[in-house]
């Protein structure tokens, strides 16, 4: 009889333990399946608006608004698949257009790739790669400027002297990290890449980013600016890479760790700026050519977790992690000429919200 008492006790305890373990094991979160278009292919799978249960009757008002605002192309991706792809004003899927400052994020991403590969460290001073005398500053002040300062736009250099980045035009205002100012000096990071890698900027860019994700396009020198031109799908491919946390299919192109840094506040002056990325949902922000702090979110009508590449005359890449969306806009200025943010951003998001919500 004592044997059966022990057996019953063991079975009882085992059953309780099993139930406790079952209660402790949480269900695995559903994995997000992201689609990636093939390299060197025009095939790109789509998702219908009806499947997403979006408001189909608001699509045409959105497209009419875009056309009226001098848009050349507009794309929306959901989990990598095309939901909307439209071209306006004689622009086509094969037409090339400039990214303007939206292309700064390409430079940021390449810096991340180079750091992942051990070619450079963003905390190193710029002169480690360019040598002394790349500015007109005294050596002690020049040596305060790191690669991270160029990514974060807080080099302390005078931004009022134009886009020329020759040493004589890079002058001191304050020590690095004391002032945020939108400045073309970031382009010196492309020289950093060339010197650190012992190659050219174009060669390194093509091999490590462009060819990896099937982008088209090229860098064109325009006076003191180096501007990327491509078709719209190439811009969308880049947005998809960033949305997928640096992965393309099964290959990690740029580390998730770097992208987390790049798409969060990079300094303590402009909360809405990462490593050449603009950040929505912050308490305040600064804009190019203006040292006045503006209260509130960058684009109030857009999701607070959105981050974006913003280029002159309303070139846009919006990335919204919470909604698995990448949105691209290319074209002429919607209203007035601008360097990054414009009233068009908020107006456009009014129209987008009417479709997706």
């Amino acid at each position: 009889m004592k044997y059966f008492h022990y057996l019953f006790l063991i079975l009882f305890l085992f059953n309780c333990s099993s139930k406790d373990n079952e209660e402790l094991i949480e269900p695995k979160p559903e994995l997000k399946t992201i689609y990636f278009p093939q390299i060197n292919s025009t095939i790109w799978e789509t998702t219908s608006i009806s499947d997403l249960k979006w408001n189909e009757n608001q699509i045409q008002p959105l497209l009419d608004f875009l056309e009226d605002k001098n848009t050349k192309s507009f794309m929306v991706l959901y989990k990598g698949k095309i939901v909307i792809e439209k071209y306006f004003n004689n622009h086509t899927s094969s037409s090339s257009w400039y990214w303007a400052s939206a292309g700064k994020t390409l430079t940021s991403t390449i810096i991340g790739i180079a750091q992942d590969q051990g070619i450079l460290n963003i905390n190193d001073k710029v002169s480690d790669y360019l040598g002394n005398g790349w500015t007109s500053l005294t050596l002690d002040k020049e040596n305060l400027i790191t690669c991270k300062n160029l990514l974060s736009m807080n080099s302390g250099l005078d931004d009022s002297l134009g886009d020329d980045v020759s040493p004589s035009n890079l002058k001191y205002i304050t020590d690095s990290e004391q002032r945020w100012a939108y400045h073309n000096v970031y382009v010196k990071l492309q020289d950093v890449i060339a010197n650190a890698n012992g190659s050219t900027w174009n060669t390194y860019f093509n091999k490590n980013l462009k060819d990896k994700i099937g982008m088209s396009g090229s860098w064109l020198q325009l006076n003191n600016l180096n501007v990327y031109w491509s078709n719209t799908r190439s811009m969308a491919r880049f947005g998809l890479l960033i949305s997928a946390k640096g992965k393309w299919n099964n290959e990690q192109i740029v580390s998730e760790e770097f992208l987390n840094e790049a798409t969060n506040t990079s300094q303590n002056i402009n909360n809405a700026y990462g490593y050449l990325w603009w950040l929505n949902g912050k308490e305040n922000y600064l804009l190019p050519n203006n040292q006045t702090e503006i209260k509130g979110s960058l684009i109030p009508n857009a999701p607070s977790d959105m981050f974006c590449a913003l280029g002159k005359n309303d070139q846009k890449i919006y990335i919204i992690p919470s909604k698995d969306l990448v949105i691209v806009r290319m074209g002429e200025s919607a209203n007035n000429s601008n360097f990054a943010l414009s009233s068009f951003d908020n107006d456009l998001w009014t129209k987008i919200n009417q479709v997706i919500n």
Side-chain angles (χ1 to χ4, degrees):
M1 181 66 71
K2 187 180 288 186
Y3 168 79
F4 288 107
H5 280 269
Y6 283 133
L7 181 61
F8 176 79
L9 181 61
I10 291 169
L11 290 173
F12 175 77
L13 291 173
F14 177 79
N15 189 49
C16 290
S17 176
S18 297
K19 287 183 178 179
D20 288 343
N21 287 339
E22 287 176 5
E23 290 174 1
L24 289 173
I25 298 173
E26 296 182 358
K28 291 182 179 179
E30 182 183 352
L31 295 176
K32 294 181 180 179
T33 302
I34 300 177
Y35 165 81
F36 297 94
Q38 294 180 7
I39 306 297
N40 301 322
S41 173
T42 59
I43 298 171
W44 197 321
E45 292 185 12
T46 62
T47 295
S48 72
I49 291 167
S50 59
D51 285 346
L52 296 175
K53 296 181 171 54
W54 288 359
N55 300 316
E56 294 186 69
N57 62 347
Q58 294 299 319
I59 294 294
Q60 195 56 51
L62 168 62
L63 299 180
D64 291 343
F65 171 78
L66 288 163
E67 185 168 21
D68 184 58
K69 293 297 183 179
N70 306 317
T71 301
K72 290 188 175 292
S73 60
F74 183 75
M75 281 187 72
V76 178
L77 307 181
Y78 174 72
K79 293 186 177 181
K81 295 185 179 181
I82 296 174
V83 186
I84 301 173
E85 181 179 18
K86 294 293 181 181
Y87 298 93
F88 311 89
N89 300 311
N90 300 316
H91 204 74
T92 70
S93 60
S94 61
S95 299
S96 186
W97 194 249
Y98 64 91
W99 290 37
S101 284
K104 285 182 169 66
T105 56
L106 293 171
T107 298
S108 171
T109 303
I110 285 291
I111 291 293
I113 292 170
Q115 179 168 265
D116 293 338
Q117 294 177 354
I119 292 171
L120 57 77
N121 187 311
I122 63 171
N123 294 308
D124 290 342
K125 57 183 183 291
V126 177
S127 55
D128 284 347
Y129 303 98
L130 302 186
N132 298 331
W134 67 275
T135 71
S136 64
L137 278 58
T138 60
L139 187 60
D140 61 327
K141 296 301 185 184
E142 182 177 274
N143 283 339
L144 295 176
I145 304 173
T146 65
C147 295
K148 184 177 178 180
N149 294 142
L150 300 192
L151 285 170
S152 306
M153 294 290 187
N154 62 347
S155 67
L157 294 167
D158 190 345
D159 58 305
S160 69
L161 303 176
D163 295 326
D164 179 8
V165 292
S166 62
S168 62
N169 208 54
L170 296 178
K171 297 184 181 297
Y172 178 88
I173 283 189
T174 187
D175 288 357
S176 67
E177 302 185 12
Q178 302 306 307
R179 181 176 183 268
W180 186 91
Y182 201 69
H183 195 314
N184 190 46
V185 71
Y186 90 94
V187 79
K188 298 301 291 184
L189 289 169
Q190 297 180 5
D191 294 335
V192 166
I193 288 290
N195 290 353
N197 182 56
S199 180
T200 67
W201 163 255
N202 284 339
T203 298
Y204 189 84
F205 172 83
N206 292 345
K207 178 182 177 181
N208 291 280
L209 180 56
K210 177 184 172 182
D211 297 344
K212 293 270 189 179
I213 66 174
M215 291 173 64
S216 67
S218 59
W219 294 91
L220 297 179
Q221 196 74 33
L222 180 63
N223 296 323
N224 297 298
L225 302 173
N226 199 22
V227 181
Y228 200 70
W229 290 68
S230 79
N231 61 29
T232 305
R233 284 192 169 194
S234 290
M235 185 181 258
R237 280 177 180 263
F238 174 67
L240 176 56
L241 169 73
I242 304 304
S243 177
K245 299 181 178 180
K247 264 192 166 183
W248 193 267
N249 284 317
N250 296 318
E251 183 178 3
Q252 194 77 42
I253 307 297
V254 59
S255 68
E256 184 176 346
E257 180 183 4
F258 179 82
L259 288 183
N260 283 339
E261 287 185 28
T263 56
N264 279 285
T265 304
S266 60
Q267 26 62 53
N268 59 8
I269 305 168
N270 187 352
N271 289 329
Y273 209 71
Y275 295 163
L276 308 179
W277 287 95
W278 290 93
L279 317 175
N280 203 38
K282 305 301 179 183
E283 295 180 357
N284 50 64
Y285 59 92
L286 296 177
L287 288 178
N289 300 332
N290 194 330
Q291 290 294 305
T292 303
E293 183 181 277
I294 302 170
K295 299 294 184 183
S297 183
L298 194 69
I299 306 172
N301 288 340
S304 61
D305 68 323
M306 184 181 81
F307 56 93
C308 40
L310 301 178
K312 184 178 181 179
N313 296 336
D314 296 316
Q315 319 312 317
K316 316 285 185 188
I317 306 175
Y318 300 127
I319 298 174
I320 308 94
S322 62
K323 295 184 178 292
D324 298 311
L325 292 176
V326 174
I327 301 176
V328 165
R329 188 267 185 189
M330 285 179 152
E332 304 281 4
S333 171
N335 297 307
N336 301 313
S337 180
N338 60 79
F339 288 106
L341 184 73
S342 74
S343 60
F344 173 69
D345 289 278
N346 218 37
D347 294 342
L348 175 56
W349 268 99
T350 298
K351 297 293 185 181
I352 293 172
N353 284 332
Q354 289 169 353
V355 171
I356 68 175
N357 294 326

